[in-house]
Amino acid sequence: MGENTSLQTEDLKFDPPDDFVKNANINDPEIYRKADDDPEGFWEEQAEEIEWFKKWDRVHEWDAPHSKWFIGGKLNASYNCLDVNVKKNPDKLAIIWEGENGDIRKYTYRELLEETARLANALKEQGVKKGDIVTIYLPMIPEIIISMLACARIGAPHSVVFAAFSGGSLCTRIEDAKSDLIITCDGYYRRGKIVEQKKKADTGLSSCESVKKVIVVKNLGNEIDIESGRDIWWHDILKDTDPVCEPEVMDSEDMLFLMYTSGTTGKPKGIVHTTGGYMVGTHITAKWIFDLKDDDIYWCTADCGWITGHSYIVYGPLSNGTTVLMYEGAPDYPEKDRFWDIVERHKATILYTAPTAIRSFMKWGDDWPAKHDLSTLRLLGSVGEPINPGAWIWYHEKIGNSRCPIVDTWWQTETGMVMISPLPGVTSTKPGSATFAFPGVKAAVLDEKGKEMPPGKDGLLAITRPWPSMVRTIHGDEERFIETYWSKWDRDTYFAGDGAKMDEDGYFLISGRIDDVIQVSGHRIGTAEIESTLVSHPSVAEAGVVGRSDEIKGEVIYAYVILKTGISGNDELKKKLTGHVDANIGPFARPRRVIFADELPKTRSGKIMRRVLKAIANGKDTGDVTTLQDPDVVDVLKNRTKEAE
Ligand code: PRX
């Protein structure tokens, strides 16, 4: 079946290879039933896998939609990622880092602990206390992991802002978190060019009063402005600090971190994750889904600025004592085989990446991976967006040599851990399906009213039982938390925002977001954020932004823009507008097309009908448009969209 590349994949099924099953961390199919019979007992058993300073008094409390896990338990996340492994094998490699320019840095668990403890002590000296939120604005260099773990060590929740975000986006997040210390760097490389990170940070900080201290990593040595009294060099404050720092004893329900993510309004949501449940959830999913073993070289290509990096570069793998491979740069720099070159040189055994990357590799051709020895790989993973069967099969054949199981993992910033995924030593996989809910997790496909959909019928993805690493609230906005996730059906049923269906065998097929959130190259962006950025440009009166499906990126952004009276649209203005989004959010949010419009499809009450706009952008049938203020708009915009192609 290995060479079958047809897209008639419904009947394709790949059983886990026998030798994989034999050695897998989990290979007992009964695990699902056992977990279902007694979910609390199941999670309690998994909680025993991590180290607690004090065990919990009760496993779970559910006052829907509020969940508490391992109540009364005391632990520290950095202790579990570092000290626990130093006790076992201090000289084992924790991080193998490769810079875009080819530099390599390695940290053993002992070294990582010492660096973390140094920074933790330095943070304390700078006045950071338990409960203070520290903002981290760093690219993929080892200091980002050290910073996260140092914060966890002293009980200061971190809020990591993806390095490619603009200074303005950084500022919005700092203000929402009321963070007064940030950690950034002078600059970093992206496709061989210097990104002046400190300069971006300075731009954001100029309108962000709360920040008192900025710790700056000297990464490239490019010139930067230093604001005396505020900016301090990382190496200066770490120079004479003690490499020992007692971990703060954290309550299971103390906040571990905040992670901002996009929703349906312009304002990003600060997703709150706490310590005990998150550590248990990420530890066990990493161990079972990625089958982490002592001799693995595990590579997750995500960025620590997103949830995937938090859960499956940092907390999950490190708490399992894994050797984590980390790469700073772009997949096509200097050539299109950079990933395969890295796999070969570092002998990576597990690769976890995004469908958008896989589709780019497919487009670049089979010769690039074929030039390299990928025989060390034994397991492949996918995350961030639906993987189409064609990409799944290419990944399986060309990268996994038809040998490696693929785990297509569905989850979200809010879920903290993978929720739907194969267990590689148990589950027979089907290309395009994330298969089944993880043991102990309960997912369903429901209709608008909350009734379960029959197999084959499209519905909405719901999680119908609480899980340890679930979002606890939205920072400072409890109402939005309830409204967004727990109001579609009953208070105890989580609304994921994704469309899904189940096949006859109970396999989940997840089609992606059904709300005003889009996944571009696996990056989550709210259309409202882009719209409000566009209307902040002096030439723009109104904007409607939708996703258009794209062969490589999953989705790309189409922006329909009404200009202010007297302003005429031309190519130069289009460029200015895309540049404006670039500068105000980040390059990943840049619209693929800007289409000037005289009017947008609106209801009689003046609301943009996104369903219609989306159909127009995608060249699809717009359905019933009789409720529009002006149904003629549809044809005009259809033509303009065609012209813009
Ligand atoms: O639409 C789903 C998509 O990514 C969304 C969550 O985005 P974010 O919070 O940024 O986290 C991404 C990484 C965990 C989901 O609502 N998504 C993620 N994984 C998959 C997926 N869609 C289909 N299949 C997946 N495996």
Side-chain angles (χ1 to χ4, degrees), residues 531 534-543 560-565 567 597 600 602:
E531 286 166 4
L534 284 168
V535 295
S536 74
H537 189 278
S539 305
V540 176
E542 240 184 298
Y560 292 85
V561 171
I562 305 178
L563 296 173
K564 285 191 180 149
T565 321
I567 296 181
L600 296 171
K602 285 184 191 148

Side-chain angles (χ1 to χ4, degrees), residues 250-415:
M250 302 300 285
D251 188 85
S252 181
E253 281 301 325
D254 278 338
M255 197 203 305
L256 176 59
F257 66 85
L258 256 188
M259 170 98 247
Y260 283 91
T261 190
S262 297
T264 50
T265 72
K267 193 171 177 276
K269 305 179 277 195
I271 299 299
V272 173
H273 281 291
T274 57
T275 312
Y278 177 82
M279 287 307 291
V280 172
T282 54
H283 178 88
I284 201 65
T285 47
K287 181 171 176 177
W288 287 2
I289 295 168
F290 300 114
D291 194 50
L292 298 173
K293 300 275 169 44
D294 202 34
D295 53 358
D296 274 315
I297 309 285
Y298 163 89
W299 184 20
C300 166
T301 69
D303 192 291
C304 288
W306 304 102
I307 192 70
T308 309
H310 280 51
S311 301
Y312 298 107
I313 295 177
V314 183
Y315 293 106
L318 293 180
S319 71
N320 277 282
T322 310
T323 298
V324 169
L325 179 59
M326 178 181 186
Y327 170 56
E328 179 190 27
D332 53 353
Y333 190 86
E335 286 294 352
K336 294 185 168 59
D337 59 347
R338 183 62 182 268
F339 270 26
W340 319 124
D341 183 43
I342 291 176
V343 167
E344 178 173 9
R345 276 186 291 105
H346 296 288
K347 302 189 168 35
T349 57
I350 300 166
L351 176 68
Y352 188 31
T353 193
T356 187
I358 299 166
R359 289 189 295 259
S360 298
F361 299 138
M362 275 175 85
K363 190 179 83 177
W364 295 338
D366 300 353
D367 291 349
W368 293 108
K371 283 205 302 198
H372 295 275
D373 177 7
L374 306 180
S375 63
T376 49
L377 288 172
R378 65 181 194 88
L379 178 63
L380 304 173
S382 171
V383 63
E385 28 165 344
I387 178 162
N388 49 306
W392 195 105
I393 287 165
W394 185 88
Y395 196 29
H396 181 68
E397 291 177 354
K398 307 296 176 200
I399 306 305
N401 196 16
S402 307
R403 248 178 336 96
C404 306
I406 294 182
V407 286
D408 171 8
T409 60
W410 178 89
W411 60 295
Q412 308 176 300
T413 305
E414 293 87 342
T415 68

Side-chain angles (χ1 to χ4, degrees), residues 143 236 386 402 476:
E143 285 82 355
D236 280 345
S402 307

Side-chain angles (χ1 to χ4, degrees), residues 626-645:
T626 50
T627 56
L628 286 184
Q629 241 173 32
D630 175 9
D632 293 343
V633 171
V634 172
D635 282 336
V636 176
L637 290 184
K638 269 187 183 164
N639 286 334
R640 298 236 172 126
T641 307
K642 256 194 225 134
E643 284 162 20
E645 290 313 308

Side-chain angles (χ1 to χ4, degrees), residues 440-638:
V441 172
K442 207 166 170 203
V445 179
L446 306 180
D447 68 8
E448 287 284 340
K449 295 213 168 77
K451 214 171 108 243
E452 216 154 319
M453 297 300 283
K457 292 269 182 273
D458 287 312
L460 307 168
L461 184 62
I463 310 293
T464 55
R465 183 196 282 153
W467 66 101
S469 63
M470 61 201 284
V471 47
R472 296 302 195 262
T473 188
I474 292 174
H475 185 62
D477 204 344
E478 172 66 14
E479 221 172 282
R480 192 175 178 194
F481 168 68
I482 295 179
E483 172 62 31
T484 311
Y485 308 112
W486 308 100
S487 298
K488 182 98 195 158
W489 305 291
D490 295 334
R491 277 285 182 274
D492 58 0
T493 305
Y494 174 83
F495 171 61
D498 276 304
K501 64 182 171 190
M502 207 179 248
D503 75 5
E504 295 287 343
D505 301 328
Y507 282 65
F508 281 99
L509 293 155
I510 296 152
S511 56
R513 307 289 312 188
I514 45 116
D515 52 12
D516 299 331
V517 172
I518 40 189
Q519 296 288 130
V520 181
S521 302
H523 293 160
R524 177 165 162 183
I525 305 160
T527 49
E529 282 167 78
I530 305 170
E531 286 166 4
S532 59
T533 301
L534 284 168
V535 295
S536 74
H537 189 278
S539 305
V540 176
E542 240 184 298
V545 170
V546 288
R548 172 190 162 109
S549 46
D550 180 81
E551 227 180 277
I552 304 289
K553 294 190 164 200
E555 279 182 299
V556 290
I557 296 158
Y558 269 43
Y560 292 85
V561 171
I562 305 178
L563 296 173
K564 285 191 180 149
T565 321
I567 296 181
S568 57
N570 53 29
D571 284 351
E572 197 189 334
L573 184 55
K574 281 185 188 175
K575 255 199 211 140
K576 275 194 189 146
L577 295 180
T578 47
H580 183 68
V581 174
D582 210 323
N584 284 283
I585 305 180
F588 55 91
R590 192 185 297 158
R592 165 70 63 89
R593 296 270 181 276
V594 173
I595 295 153
F596 295 121
D598 308 314
E599 197 38 272
L600 296 171
K602 285 184 191 148
T603 59
R604 289 198 186 102
S605 58
K607 231 178 127 227
I608 297 178
M609 277 187 85
R610 291 171 181 289
R611 174 183 66 74
V612 174
L613 201 56
K614 196 165 179 180
I616 294 171
N618 284 280
K620 294 227 169 94
D621 179 17
T622 43
D624 180 12
V625 292
T626 50
T627 56
L628 286 184
Q629 241 173 32
D630 175 9
D632 293 343
V633 171
V634 172
D635 282 336
V636 176
L637 290 184
K638 269 187 183 164

